[in-house]
Amino acid sequence: MAIDSMLQRRVMGRFATGVTLLTTRFDEGILGMTANAVMSLSLEPPLIVVAVDKKNSMHECLIQGRCFALNMLRADQEAISRRFAISGPKDFSGLSLTKAETGAPILVDAIAFVDCKLVDVLPAGDHDMFVGEPVAGEERDGEPLLFYSGEYR
């Protein structure tokens, strides 16, 4: 029998995760959301995974756009994470953005980014796992923004 979902949330909250801004571009524009259900799946071939709730507006936009970028946030970018973690319209104003290969927005001052074309979508409970093939990426200096036990660190 599976454990209670609230216990799972508390237990897994003890696993420190990096915080990313997941972005995509699609026919009508661009969209972003804070994401920390992220992993490097494979090096041969290179594959990245991000999990997105099926009810989130990002879900359909990723399917439409067939691409995504993961922008790894710096320790001083908590406000960006909070801005894109709330429900409703997302506001990119005041952010310095660029593009790499896919056209998904890249934060100029993130500590790293990986730009991916979507290669598969796999079901995973109330989420889907979006599997991307990295087509561009870059690392920069800085300390990462972390999330641990329900708080930014």
Side-chain angles (χ1 to χ4, degrees), residues 50-111:
V50 60
V52 177
D53 190 311
K54 292 175 183 177
K55 296 177 188 169
N56 193 300
S57 58
M58 175 62 84
H59 188 277
E60 184 58 34
C61 293
L62 287 168
I63 292 170
Q64 279 183 32
R66 308 296 303 164
C67 68
F68 63 86
L70 285 169
N71 298 273
M72 289 66 166
L73 298 181
R74 288 190 334 248
D76 63 349
Q77 293 177 316
E78 180 180 331
I80 294 172
S81 174
R82 289 185 182 279
R83 181 193 310 188
F84 286 90
I86 59 172
S87 297
K90 307 302 185 206
D91 180 13
F92 282 89
S93 66
L95 299 179
S96 296
L97 301 173
T98 190
K99 297 176 187 172
E101 295 296 317
T102 69
I106 306 294
L107 278 176
V108 170
D109 53 357
I111 61 168

Side-chain angles (χ1 to χ4, degrees), residues 93-153:
S93 66
L95 299 179
S96 296
L97 301 173
T98 190
K99 297 176 187 172
E101 295 296 317
T102 69
I106 306 294
L107 278 176
V108 170
D109 53 357
I111 61 168
F113 77 85
V114 61
D115 188 23
C116 300
K117 65 179 182 179
L118 185 63
V119 295
D120 206 353
V121 181
L122 306 170
D126 58 0
H127 284 57
D128 278 338
M129 295 186 299
F130 290 84
V131 181
E133 176 188 346
V135 293
E138 188 176 312
E139 60 179 315
R140 303 177 185 112
D141 291 333
E143 294 297 317
L145 179 62
L146 299 177
F147 198 72
Y148 174 76
S149 196
E151 297 180 6
Y152 290 97
R153 306 286 174 126

Side-chain angles (χ1 to χ4, degrees), residues 7-36:
L7 175 58
Q8 177 182 336
R9 183 182 204 119
R10 289 191 312 272
V11 169
M12 293 310 296
R14 299 295 181 180
F15 180 67
T17 59
V19 182
T20 70
L21 175 61
L22 169 66
T23 59
T24 191
R25 61 114 188 99
F26 54 99
D27 290 339
E28 294 107 42
I30 60 173
L31 188 66
M33 70 170 250
T34 300
N36 65 354

